[in-house]
Structures are given as C-alpha cells and as structure tokens.
Amino acid sequence: MTWLAFALLTVVSWGLYGILLHTGQLAMTDPENGRYKAFLFVGMAYLITAVIGSLIVLLLNGANWAYPAKGIMWSTAAGMVGAIGALGVLLAFGAKGSPTVVMTIVFAGAPIINTFTTMMYFHPTKTMPDWRFFAG
C-alpha cells in the first residue's frame, strides 16, 4: 500500500499547485510579466527537486549511469509536456481564468487524455471497454 501514500502525496501536491502558482504570479506585482516570472521559479523548483534531488538519490543508491536513448527521449517528452502544461495554467490565469475553474478543467480533462492515450497508443486494449467506462 506504499503506492497509495505516494499517490495521495501527488494528489495533495497537485491540488495545491494551481492556487500556489496563481498566488505567486500575483505576488510578482508585474501585470505584464508576472506569470513568466512565476514560471521561472517553477523551473528553479524543478531544478532543485528533480535534478539535484534525483542526482543525490541516484548516488546514494549506487545507480549505474547508463541512459538508453529511448528512456531519455520519453522522459524528456514527459518533462516538456509537464512544463507546457504549467505554462498553459499560467496563461489561463493571465487571461482572467480563476484558479478554481482552471484547475477543475485541468484535473477533470487530464485523466481523460491520459486514459485514451494509454488505451489507444501505449497499452492498446483488445476490446472496447463496456458502456460503464464511457459513462464514467
């Protein structure tokens, strides 16, 4: 059940993401560029957490330093779509979208994209799901 604790950690983190980002954007007190300034610090947070944190964990675990091209490609693509999504959230806020509405659309729509992309491309299903899947 450790996976559930990690999943709930993500729920809490991503649940706070939008409002913290919006608050940071407004706190920059720059109506023209505040969202881009906030995005810069999102990137800094990724540097600290994802890059430096990962390097420390890899070193502590004695990981090998082999990085297959396919793994690099897909992982970089994941980072890019994540960053594009964060930028999209900031742009939505800048276009007067409220955090409540923007994040509701994001968190309602993203699982649909994930499910269909997974079912149709990454792990194709042999049969179509029954009506309950689509009703959900």
Side-chain angles (χ1 to χ4, degrees):
M1 295 296 287
T2 304
W3 65 268
L4 181 57
F6 292 138
L8 293 174
L9 172 67
T10 305
V11 167
V12 171
S13 297
W14 287 2
L16 293 172
Y17 177 77
I19 191 59
L20 294 176
L21 188 57
H22 186 258
T23 302
Q25 170 190 337
L26 295 176
M28 291 296 177
T29 65
D30 182 348
E32 283 294 310
N33 294 301
R35 70 187 66 97
Y36 306 113
K37 290 178 179 180
F39 192 54
L40 172 66
F41 283 91
V42 168
M44 296 294 286
Y46 268 93
L47 174 68
I48 294 165
T49 306
V51 176
I52 296 170
S54 293
L55 286 172
I56 291 169
V57 171
L58 289 168
L59 287 169
L60 291 174
N61 287 339
N64 71 48
W65 296 97
Y67 291 92
K70 188 174 181 179
I72 291 171
M73 180 194 75
W74 285 111
S75 300
T76 302
M80 290 179 74
V81 298
I84 291 167
L87 180 59
V89 167
L90 279 169
L91 294 172
F93 292 159
K96 307 295 184 232
S98 75
T100 306
V101 175
V102 170
M103 298 314 293
T104 300
I105 291 169
V106 167
F107 290 132
I112 295 168
I113 299 298
N114 175 275
T115 300
F116 282 103
T117 303
T118 301
M119 278 181 18
M120 299 172 107
Y121 182 75
F122 291 98
H123 302 286
T125 57
K126 292 183 170 104
T127 60
M128 285 298 286
D130 70 23
W131 66 269
R132 289 173 289 204
F133 170 82
F134 294 102

